[in-house]
Amino acid sequence: GDKLILTTTAADGEENYPGNMEIKVVYYIVENELFIEYFATSDADTLCNLTNHAYFNLDGNGAENVYEQLMQIDADSITPVDSGLIPHGEFMAVAGTPFDFKKAKPIGQDIFAKDEQLEICGGYDHNFCINTNGKFSQFATVYSAKTGIQMVCKTDQPGVQFYSGNFLDNVKGKNGATYNIRAGFCLETQVYPNAINCPEYPTYVLKKGEKYYLDLKAINAMALRRAGVRHIEISSDCTMCQPDRFWSHRVHGPARGSQGAIILCREGSL
């Protein structure tokens, strides 16, 4: 069937990264299944983590914020950041802090707490060191009591960037909706930001000539699967799923991108 194929070239030296990187993203639909495939190669060893930066609001289109949505993240620590939002090899235990999502709690429960890390980022915008241990496994759930939508996230990556939409400002959405601060959240699976400069962190290097491939599939029951990166399920059945907001970016902090992929549910997203 028809396919949407997007390509770009990241030139050698762009943003100080080595290698000419050829990147291709392919979208196509088979019956009620949406597929997204990512491809990349480089002519020099470099960093490569491709993703999109999808926002979720499981309360549905036009919902004002995500404060009441219950989030659980299986992580014992985060990588704290400096004033430039960059981590430098440290780990911070989440126990007893606003970053403790080991048990599900409303996203807004502690977001206004007096905490240095929250104040630096204006909310949550941190890498959580999730307990996947290199295996494809569940690391987070999010639930909306308003709609009954539940999202279950799986990955084999060591980290996930939880961003609470701190800088959303007058973003125009579908059906005339406008989104402002905290109107959506992101969960971006990744290696830890700045890992290339921090031997304490795992890293992701694409070797010269190596082929990077990532595959994502969405079906009517909202089961999304990419072997070895992320799996997302939403319990509510949707008539169609589509990438309303897709952003494949090259830089996340000082590292190139953040590996993973995510897709939006039409009934519970921007």
Side-chain angles (χ1 to χ4, degrees), residues 8-70:
T8 189
T9 299
D12 181 29
E14 180 181 328
E15 298 172 346
N16 295 319
Y17 292 105
N20 294 290
M21 181 181 291
E22 300 293 334
I23 303 167
K24 180 172 70 173
V25 183
V26 181
Y27 294 84
Y28 59 97
I29 295 175
V30 179
E31 295 182 347
N32 63 345
E33 298 181 331
L34 171 66
F35 294 79
I36 307 177
E37 296 178 311
Y38 303 76
F39 305 82
T41 60
S42 175
D43 60 9
D45 293 357
T46 190
L47 300 183
C48 177
N49 291 312
L50 302 178
T51 190
N52 61 66
H53 193 277
Y55 288 88
F56 287 88
N57 188 326
L58 303 187
D59 283 348
N61 185 54
E64 183 177 359
N65 59 60
V66 297
Y67 292 147
E68 298 303 316
Q69 292 163 49
L70 299 178

Side-chain angles (χ1 to χ4, degrees), residues 124-159:
Y124 297 105
D125 191 5
H126 296 78
N127 172 69
F128 283 68
C129 306
I130 50 181
N131 296 317
T132 52
N133 299 314
K135 298 179 180 179
F136 186 75
S137 56
Q138 180 176 320
F139 70 89
T141 62
V142 190
Y143 174 73
S144 166
K146 179 179 178 180
T147 62
I149 294 174
Q150 176 172 277
M151 182 169 70
V152 177
C153 305
K154 297 182 181 181
T155 188
D156 67 352
Q157 295 301 290

Side-chain angles (χ1 to χ4, degrees), residues 72-221:
Q72 180 270 331
I73 303 176
D74 183 16
D76 297 312
S77 61
I78 64 167
T79 53
V81 298
D82 62 15
S83 60
L85 309 189
I86 304 301
H88 292 280
E90 300 87 2
F91 296 89
M92 186 186 88
V94 301
T97 77
F99 295 87
D100 191 351
F101 284 87
K102 293 280 288 182
K103 294 183 178 180
K105 67 178 182 181
I107 291 173
Q109 177 174 305
D110 299 316
I111 203 167
F112 297 106
K114 186 173 178 57
D115 178 270
E116 181 183 19
Q117 285 293 306
L118 287 177
E119 292 171 358
I120 288 174
C121 297
Y124 297 105
D125 191 5
H126 296 78
N127 172 69
F128 283 68
C129 306
I130 50 181
N131 296 317
T132 52
N133 299 314
K135 298 179 180 179
F136 186 75
S137 56
Q138 180 176 320
F139 70 89
T141 62
V142 190
Y143 174 73
S144 166
K146 179 179 178 180
T147 62
I149 294 174
Q150 176 172 277
M151 182 169 70
V152 177
C153 305
K154 297 182 181 181
T155 188
D156 67 352
Q157 295 301 290
V160 62
Q161 191 82 9
F162 167 37
Y163 175 54
S164 54
N166 311 320
F167 300 104
L168 288 173
D169 182 20
N170 198 37
V171 177
K172 301 302 180 183
K174 57 193 176 187
N175 300 327
T178 300
Y179 295 93
N180 290 294
I181 184 171
R182 311 271 165 67
F185 66 85
C186 304
L187 290 170
E188 308 162 60
T189 57
Q190 60 184 10
V191 295
Y192 305 166
N194 203 26
I196 192 64
N197 297 311
C198 303
E200 302 87 352
Y201 296 164
T203 190
Y204 188 89
V205 176
L206 179 65
K207 295 291 187 180
K208 175 181 177 179
E210 187 177 72
K211 293 183 179 180
Y212 176 96
Y213 175 71
L214 187 152
D215 175 29
L216 180 68
K217 180 175 73 172
I219 63 174
N220 192 24

Side-chain angles (χ1 to χ4, degrees), residues 194-254:
N194 203 26
I196 192 64
N197 297 311
C198 303
E200 302 87 352
Y201 296 164
T203 190
Y204 188 89
V205 176
L206 179 65
K207 295 291 187 180
K208 175 181 177 179
E210 187 177 72
K211 293 183 179 180
Y212 176 96
Y213 175 71
L214 187 152
D215 175 29
L216 180 68
K217 180 175 73 172
I219 63 174
N220 192 24
M222 263 322 269
L224 313 181
R225 178 164 57 86
R226 204 293 292 179
V229 171
R230 178 185 291 156
H231 177 96
I232 299 174
E233 299 174 348
I234 295 182
S235 58
S236 294
D237 199 31
C238 297
T239 58
M240 177 59 71
C241 306
Q242 58 187 19
D244 294 340
R245 290 184 178 274
F246 170 78
W247 177 23
S248 178
H249 59 92
R250 191 171 185 186
V251 179
H252 185 190

